[in-house]
Amino acid sequence: MTARDTPPPPEPPESGPATEDKPAGADRPAGRPKASWLSRLRPGLKKQAAPRAQETPDNLWLKDPETGEMLYRPDLEAALWVTPSGHHLRLTPEQRFAFTFDDGAHERIKAPSTRDDPLGFRDQKPYPERLKAARAATGEVDAMSIAYGRIKGRPAVVLVQNFGFLGGSLGQAAGQGFIAAAREAIKRDCPLVVFTASGGARMQEGTLSLMQMARATLAVQELKAKGLPYLVVLTDPTTGGVTASYAMLGDVQFAEPGALIAFTGPRVIEQTIRETLPAGFQRAEYLEDKGVVDQVVPRGALAGALGTVIGILMDGRARVRAA
C-alpha cells in the first residue's frame, strides 16, 4: 500500500455529555484539571460586579479630624460638610457657591490671566510644575474663584479663596482675582462677599506676592468709595498676609466655628514671647469674644446671616442716596 492509499487518521471524538457508555469528561486530555462550576460562572459575575465597583467612590467614608470617627460621605454632604462634632470641613469653590447662593444658582466670572512664573522660581521642583499639579487636582486656574448670584434674593458677587490650591496662597493671579471681583461688584452695583482661606503670601513669587496685599486693600477702598458693602467670612485657616490685609477690612466680619485666624502661628508666638498662650487662642470664638470677629456663624445659617446684613446695608445706602 502506498502513502497515497493510506487512509487518513480518525478525527478525535468530541467530548460531550455523559452517556450510558461514556462518562462525562472521559475525552478530557490527561493531566488537565477538571473545571469547577464556579470557574464557569466567574466571567458573568465579573461583568455584573464591574459597573458597581466603578460607581462606588474611593472615599465613601471620611474621618472626623476632631474625634477620629468614620463618617458616611452622603451624610456629610447632607450636613454641608459639618461633622457631628461640629467640625467645619474645608469646601471647594463650587461647594461654597452652592451653599451660599439661592438654590445654588450662580454665574461664574473669569479672573484675568497672569504670567505663571515671573521669577523663574525653583525649589524641589519648578514652580510651573506645582501650578500644573494644583490645577489638575482642583480644576481651578488659581486660588481665587469668582461668581455672581443672589443671596436671599439680594444680588452679590462672591469671591472664594481655595485652600486646596497651594494653600490658598496670595500671588499675582490671586491679587488680580480679588481686584476683578471688586470691580465686578462695582459694575453690577452690588456687595462683595469674600470667603478667606489662606496660608499667606506665595513664596514662589517673592515681593510680587506681597504687593498684592496693598493692591487688594486699594480695591476694597474702591468699593467703599461707591458705598458698597464689603463682607468677609473668615474660614479655616486664614493666616499670614491675607489676615494682615483684606481679610480684616470687612464692614462686617463673620467667621465659621473653630476657624484658625492668625497672622503668625501659635508656636512661633510662644517661642517669641516665652509665654503659654490661652486656650483657644486664635480661634474664631476667642476672637469673637475679643471683638476681632463680629459673629461666628455655623455654615447652615451663614447664607441667611449674609442675606440679612446685605439687605440692611443696601437699604441704608438707598435711603442715604435718596435723601
Side-chain angles (χ1 to χ4, degrees), residues 167-309:
S169 49
L170 180 62
Q172 279 189 300
Q176 284 294 104
F178 188 97
I179 294 168
R183 290 179 176 170
E184 191 69 25
I186 293 171
K187 174 184 171 183
R188 296 180 185 254
D189 199 39
C190 67
L192 174 63
V193 179
V194 176
F195 289 85
T196 62
S198 177
R202 189 171 298 177
M203 69 174 201
Q204 290 90 347
E205 298 184 20
T207 305
L208 296 176
S209 66
L210 299 177
M211 290 171 58
Q212 309 312 310
M213 297 165 58
R215 298 180 74 225
T217 301
L218 290 173
V220 172
Q221 296 307 312
E222 289 182 24
L223 273 170
K224 295 189 175 184
K226 296 293 183 180
L228 292 169
Y230 172 58
L231 308 180
V232 177
V233 182
L234 303 159
T235 73
D236 184 68
T238 298
T239 62
V242 170
T243 305
S245 56
Y246 58 86
M248 290 296 167
L249 297 177
D251 297 312
V252 178
Q253 301 280 139
F254 292 108
E256 286 192 330
L260 173 66
I261 304 164
F263 176 70
T264 303
R267 179 178 57 83
V268 175
I269 295 175
E270 285 186 335
Q271 290 176 349
T272 302
I273 66 175
R274 299 172 188 249
E275 290 184 16
T276 302
L277 298 173
F281 182 72
Q282 295 181 323
R283 294 291 171 176
E285 293 76 9
Y286 182 90
L287 296 177
E288 180 186 32
D289 184 59
K290 300 301 180 182
V292 178
V293 171
D294 292 309
Q295 188 177 5
V296 176
V297 184
R299 188 169 289 163
L302 195 50
L306 287 169
T308 298
V309 171

Side-chain angles (χ1 to χ4, degrees), residues 38 45 71 82 99 101 178 197 218 240 271:
L38 184 59
L45 291 173
L71 305 172
V82 178
F99 300 155
F101 290 118
F178 188 97
L218 290 173
Q271 290 176 349

Side-chain angles (χ1 to χ4, degrees), residues 4-276:
R4 183 183 302 173
D5 300 324
T6 303
E11 294 183 2
E14 297 180 0
S15 62
T19 65
E20 293 181 357
D21 301 327
K22 182 176 65 175
D27 299 323
R28 187 186 310 114
R32 181 181 296 178
K34 180 180 177 181
S36 69
W37 64 270
L38 184 59
S39 65
R40 293 195 294 272
L41 291 177
R42 189 180 296 126
L45 291 173
K46 284 183 177 180
K47 290 181 181 179
Q48 291 179 6
R52 184 175 298 176
Q54 291 172 0
E55 291 168 5
T56 304
D58 294 333
N59 54 347
L60 191 58
W61 294 86
L62 294 92
K63 184 181 290 188
D64 186 338
E66 295 287 339
T67 64
E69 179 186 2
M70 297 304 294
L71 305 172
Y72 190 44
R73 184 187 183 94
D75 292 342
L76 274 176
E77 291 174 349
L80 307 184
W81 295 94
V82 178
T83 70
S85 67
H87 183 83
H88 285 52
L89 297 170
R90 293 166 187 161
L91 300 179
T92 66
E94 272 303 317
Q95 289 171 332
R96 185 70 71 179
F97 293 145
F99 300 155
T100 303
F101 290 118
D102 297 347
D103 299 322
H106 61 276
E107 169 194 346
R108 276 286 197 130
I109 298 168
K110 185 179 179 181
S113 59
T114 60
R115 185 179 172 186
D116 274 354
D117 189 12
L119 303 180
F121 189 92
R122 295 180 66 94
D123 53 302
Q124 293 180 345
K125 65 170 67 173
Y127 180 36
E129 289 186 17
R130 293 190 184 277
L131 289 173
K132 183 178 179 181
R135 286 166 181 163
T138 63
E140 302 290 343
V141 176
D142 209 271
M144 295 296 202
S145 298
I146 314 166
Y148 170 79
R150 291 181 176 271
I151 304 175
K152 299 305 176 184
R154 298 283 186 162
V157 171
V158 173
L159 176 69
V160 175
Q161 198 160 7
N162 184 5
F163 191 79
F165 193 103
L166 296 181
S169 49
L170 180 62
Q172 279 189 300
Q176 284 294 104
F178 188 97
I179 294 168
R183 290 179 176 170
E184 191 69 25
I186 293 171
K187 174 184 171 183
R188 296 180 185 254
D189 199 39
C190 67
L192 174 63
V193 179
V194 176
F195 289 85
T196 62
S198 177
R202 189 171 298 177
M203 69 174 201
Q204 290 90 347
E205 298 184 20
T207 305
L208 296 176
S209 66
L210 299 177
M211 290 171 58
Q212 309 312 310
M213 297 165 58
R215 298 180 74 225
T217 301
L218 290 173
V220 172
Q221 296 307 312
E222 289 182 24
L223 273 170
K224 295 189 175 184
K226 296 293 183 180
L228 292 169
Y230 172 58
L231 308 180
V232 177
V233 182
L234 303 159
T235 73
D236 184 68
T238 298
T239 62
V242 170
T243 305
S245 56
Y246 58 86
M248 290 296 167
L249 297 177
D251 297 312
V252 178
Q253 301 280 139
F254 292 108
E256 286 192 330
L260 173 66
I261 304 164
F263 176 70
T264 303
R267 179 178 57 83
V268 175
I269 295 175
E270 285 186 335
Q271 290 176 349
T272 302
I273 66 175
R274 299 172 188 249
E275 290 184 16
T276 302

Side-chain angles (χ1 to χ4, degrees), residues 300-319:
L302 195 50
L306 287 169
T308 298
V309 171
I310 288 172
I312 292 171
L313 295 179
M314 290 300 286
D315 289 346
R317 176 177 181 258
R319 287 194 296 268

